[in-house]
Amino acid sequence: MAEAFTNATQLLSPFKGVKKVTIEEYFTSGHRTCQGCESALVMKLMVKAAGPRTIVLGATGCMYVANTTYYTTPWVVPWMHTQLGSSGSAALGTAAGLKALMKKGRMKAEPINVIAFCGDGGGADMGLGAISATLTHREYNSLILMYDNESYANTDIQLSGSTPYGANTTFSPPGSVKRLIHTRWKKNMAGMLAAGHPECRYVATVDASYAVEMMNKVRKALTIGGPTFIHSLDPCPKGWDYDPMLSHELGELAVETGIFPLYEVEDGVVRHYGKSKAIAEGRPRKPVREYLLKQGRFAHFIEEDLEYFQAKVDEMWNKWEIPGVIPFWKEGRPVTAAP
Ligand SMILES: Cc1ncc(C[n+]2csc(CCOP(=O)(O)OP(=O)(O)O)c2C)c(N)n1
Ligand code: SF4
Ligand SMILES: [Mg+2]
């Protein structure tokens, strides 16, 4: 009993290979996401990794709207919608509420996982302040998972702070006068949160194309406890404009080209994972064009756009203080000019 008030967490050991993954599902049929939606797969893997004693809170976005339509829902565990910018406050409030109820003896004292998810619009833009605040409260256990489909997808693919350079969105349609409307580089969400939140013991990036690794990072975050954060890159056939059968391949290419590094920061120690580890150790990356040109949102790119994108990714791996994670230079910063 007393243990529950000292921040005890569930001890979720890693799945040792795909054959050891549990078969129970807590996100089942009954959703209406697009064919090939990786974010739906992320929800399924996330809650499978967490197990049945879990509460999920979901900010507005595709994973709210398409998953809870007209009294149907795929969620088997308790689930609650929260406002678009509120994943952080929902996570913290729920964790604090559970703790108070257990302390007063109003419910059985046991470690219950609290996971709040948000999209990139809800997390990297609108709810960034609330996520940051939650990551300062080490006395409450919660995981915030940002599923990043790189746009405000639910309202028809508007540009977010997480949309990649040059992408065609409904807010940045390429035209004959101006080819590139969106010319800002994507926010470095995981790196920013890891570097700036000393009370947060675990931040990681994941990609559902590497499903076991992804689930094990969720299990690790929940086991470590306190406030934790995971950033997931999710191919979105509708917003990225590609054949749904390519979702898995695009998830792999995002990592193999070095565009989306897979890593974790645990108690201040950075560990690259899988192909990102090999890249950090010097293995050549695939050219970014292999990833970009499979997607209609980059169909207007000309050679100089591809070269600029490649140069920026090269910079991440060759020049950053911690490759792919922390982008600082002591001196002599290179200048990569945009076309
Ligand atoms: C405060 C507020 N502003 C705008 C909206 C309208 N809205 C609903 S879903 C959504 C898109 C959210 O984008 P993101 O968080 O990236 O999730 P996605 O739809 O991509 O899954 C918007 C703008 C809202 N629900 N609340
Ligand atoms: S628009 Fe994208 S994120 Fe939304 S349900 Fe469709 S594939 Fe999934
Ligand atoms: Mg989004």
Side-chain angles (χ1 to χ4, degrees):
M1 182 97 174
E3 206 190 14
F5 307 129
T6 57
N7 274 8
T9 58
Q10 292 178 32
L11 303 178
L12 302 167
S13 53
F15 295 131
K16 294 202 160 52
V18 72
K19 290 184 183 158
K20 301 288 181 195
V21 174
T22 46
I23 57 167
E24 291 81 10
E25 301 290 355
Y26 307 106
F27 176 95
T28 59
S29 54
H31 62 83
R32 290 174 167 81
T33 65
C34 308
Q35 187 182 24
C37 174
E38 284 288 283
S39 296
L41 179 63
V42 165
M43 296 295 116
K44 178 182 156 96
L45 298 175
M46 171 190 87
V47 70
K48 183 191 259 294
R53 302 305 287 159
T54 300
I55 294 173
V56 179
L57 312 156
T60 322
C62 281
M63 291 304 106
Y64 158 51
V65 178
N67 281 326
T68 47
T69 317
Y70 299 119
Y71 300 110
T72 67
T73 180
W75 292 105
V76 176
V77 297
W79 181 89
M80 187 192 83
H81 168 237
T82 188
Q83 193 268 345
L84 182 46
S86 305
S87 59
S89 26
L92 186 61
T94 304
L98 285 172
K99 206 167 178 179
L101 288 172
M102 289 178 198
K103 195 168 185 178
K104 288 179 180 168
R106 302 268 296 277
M107 63 185 285
K108 187 179 142 220
E110 64 167 314
I112 293 179
N113 300 318
V114 174
I115 305 180
F117 67 74
C118 55
D120 49 302
D125 291 345
M126 297 172 74
L128 188 54
I131 293 174
S132 175
T134 300
L135 296 186
T136 68
H137 286 275
R138 82 176 136 193
E139 67 277 29
Y140 298 116
N141 300 324
S142 68
L143 165 63
I144 298 170
L145 184 143
M146 185 179 91
Y147 69 92
D148 181 7
N149 51 26
E150 300 192 317
S151 77
Y152 290 79
N154 185 238
T155 38
D156 207 16
I157 322 297
Q158 288 85 27
L159 178 86
S160 82
S162 210
T163 300
Y165 174 88
N168 181 353
T169 68
T170 48
F171 277 3
S172 56
S176 51
V177 176
K178 205 163 189 296
R179 189 181 68 258
L180 300 180
I181 304 295
H182 172 46
T183 53
R184 303 187 295 270
W185 200 252
K186 179 183 165 104
K187 281 187 192 178
N188 176 5
M189 192 61 180
M192 157 173 49
L193 294 182
H197 295 86
E199 300 296 343
C200 168
R201 293 182 53 203
Y202 191 76
V203 170
T205 60
V206 300
D207 177 330
S209 295
Y210 304 93
V212 177
E213 178 197 312
M214 185 220 145
M215 286 188 281
N216 284 340
K217 283 176 173 161
V218 169
R219 287 169 79 81
K220 196 169 194 180
L222 294 169
T223 301
I224 286 175
T228 53
F229 179 83
I230 290 182
H231 177 183
S232 162
L233 182 74
D234 302 0
C236 161
K238 183 181 167 199
W240 300 13
D241 189 12
Y242 63 83
D243 188 315
M245 75 174 183
L246 292 178
S247 288
H248 182 90
E249 185 180 339
L250 282 170
E252 287 187 330
L253 280 170
V255 174
E256 289 167 343
T257 53
I259 291 172
F260 190 73
L262 291 175
Y263 64 86
E264 67 182 11
V265 184
E266 181 185 353
D267 290 328
V269 176
V270 176
R271 271 180 224 104
H272 289 94
Y273 269 76
K275 289 185 178 150
S276 300
K277 182 166 187 282
I279 290 170
E281 288 166 358
R283 188 192 287 179
R285 285 168 269 120
K286 287 190 175 170
V288 297
R289 69 174 62 230
E290 287 190 26
Y291 170 75
L292 299 177
L293 296 182
K294 286 194 166 60
Q295 305 170 52
R297 63 180 174 157
F298 300 112
H300 54 292
F301 267 28
I302 61 173
E303 203 52 40
E304 63 184 289
D305 304 327
L306 293 166
E307 279 168 16
Y308 175 72
F309 209 110
Q310 184 67 64
K312 290 289 282 181
V313 174
D314 291 349
E315 226 173 62
M316 272 169 69
W317 291 101
N318 301 335
K319 308 281 184 189
W320 283 18
E321 178 74 20
I322 300 180
V325 185
I326 303 294
F328 295 126
W329 283 260
K330 289 204 177 80
E331 56 188 18
R333 185 190 164 91
V335 178
T336 307

